[in-house]
Amino acid sequence: MPLRIEKTFRDALAGQTGKTGRPLAGMWVCSGSPLVAELCAGSGLDWLLVDAEHSPNGLESILAQLQAIHGYPVHTLVRPPVNDTVLVKQYLDLGVQNLLIPMVNSAAEAEAAVAATRYPPQGVRGVGSALARAARWNRVPDYLARANETISVTVQIESDAAVAAVENILAVDGVDAIFVGPSDLAASMGLLGQQEHPEVRAAVEHCLSAAQAAGKPAGVNAFNPDTARHYLANGANFILVGADVALLARGSEALAAQYIKPSDVQKADDDTPSSY
């Protein structure tokens, strides 16, 4: 039976942002575990980001997570480790529909990211859909002609150079949205670890305003609830507010703090053989 083309993150942003909609809330999925990905998929959040830039994810684990998430009412973005044509081709053939491309610092780099998702003559994507999950092994009618409908491209603004070029990046045809990463942005501004610094906030707000002027959605990473609310009030259309590994780390620490006294930890340390 022929299969329909599923809606993309671009469609979700178009349908749930603006005057009558609401911003979309999501979380990172960094563990590399399909089981954890499925747990997060059923959370009720709007979207998940499966990360391969700073997480132990390869092609096989990404595929397994896509399969685990599929069927839940949540949109999945995948971030490759680098803006690379070959990696993008492989991700798309796996069935990734929504890409978050990291470290896009110029319009030329944004154009290269878009070209990697388009078949010739519009781009440079290699043709292998008959062998690929992307077309459900040729079960999606006219996939080659309609592939662009199945893909959304979000580029990440995370350097002072990208902030300076954000208007040009937003103007690139095929860039569906931008996503601001305050951590790397702060580092590039000489403010490593100071995501809440007024200069960093001002740079993020500049990007949000530029996106509004361009008529394109903009998102931002903000684990601090007050910061998240601030950026939402300043026009963010989508936001990341947590991560699977962070939730597990903080939750397990809270259990330890509740049931284990600091003196017990010290005694255990004292009892540990020096040769351990």
Side-chain angles (χ1 to χ4, degrees), residues 17 32 60 69 72 76 86 99 101 110 117 134 138 157 188 200 202 210 212 217 222-223 239-240 251 262 270:
T17 58
E60 291 82 2
I69 295 168
Y72 286 86
T76 307
V86 174
L99 287 161
I101 305 297
T117 70
N138 272 352
I157 307 298
S188 78
V200 178
Q212 286 181 315
F223 284 15
I239 198 160
L240 282 174
D270 293 341

Side-chain angles (χ1 to χ4, degrees), residues 10-195:
R10 174 182 59 246
D11 302 317
L13 289 169
Q16 295 199 28
T17 58
K19 294 181 180 180
T20 60
R22 61 170 179 80
L24 303 181
M27 68 177 290
W28 297 77
V29 178
C30 305
S31 64
S33 165
L35 179 61
V36 172
E38 185 173 8
L39 282 167
C40 296
S43 65
L45 289 166
D46 298 303
W47 65 290
L48 303 177
L49 175 61
V50 176
D51 181 44
E53 184 182 15
H54 295 294
S55 303
N57 272 312
L59 296 177
E60 291 82 2
S61 66
I62 290 170
L63 173 60
Q65 287 170 88
L66 292 175
Q67 292 169 329
I69 295 168
H70 186 74
Y72 286 86
V74 65
H75 290 273
T76 307
L77 275 70
V78 180
R79 182 170 73 170
V82 65
N83 183 7
D84 179 83
T85 298
V86 174
L87 273 178
V88 168
K89 172 181 64 177
Q90 291 179 302
Y91 279 32
L92 295 178
D93 284 350
L94 285 181
V96 172
Q97 289 188 272
N98 308 299
L99 287 161
L100 176 62
I101 305 297
M103 292 291 181
V104 172
N105 298 312
S106 67
E109 292 179 6
E111 289 168 354
V114 173
T117 70
R118 304 305 200 242
Y119 290 123
Q122 292 84 11
V124 295
R125 180 183 176 187
V127 181
S129 62
L131 308 175
R133 184 173 180 268
R136 299 303 186 266
W137 303 276
N138 272 352
R139 290 169 182 159
V140 174
D142 301 322
Y143 177 79
L144 291 177
R146 303 175 61 197
N148 294 355
E149 299 174 37
T150 75
I151 299 164
S152 75
V153 178
T154 301
V155 300
Q156 197 156 358
I157 307 298
E158 46 188 338
S159 71
D160 52 356
V163 172
V166 68
E167 287 86 0
N168 292 332
I169 291 171
L170 284 160
V172 171
D173 186 32
V175 169
D176 296 305
I178 61 170
F179 184 79
V180 186
S183 295
D184 279 305
L185 176 56
S188 78
M189 297 170 68
L191 299 166
L192 181 64
Q194 301 181 58
Q195 295 93 311

Side-chain angles (χ1 to χ4, degrees), residues 230-241:
H230 173 79
Y231 288 140
L232 290 170
N234 279 270
N237 304 107
F238 57 108
I239 198 160
L240 282 174
V241 293

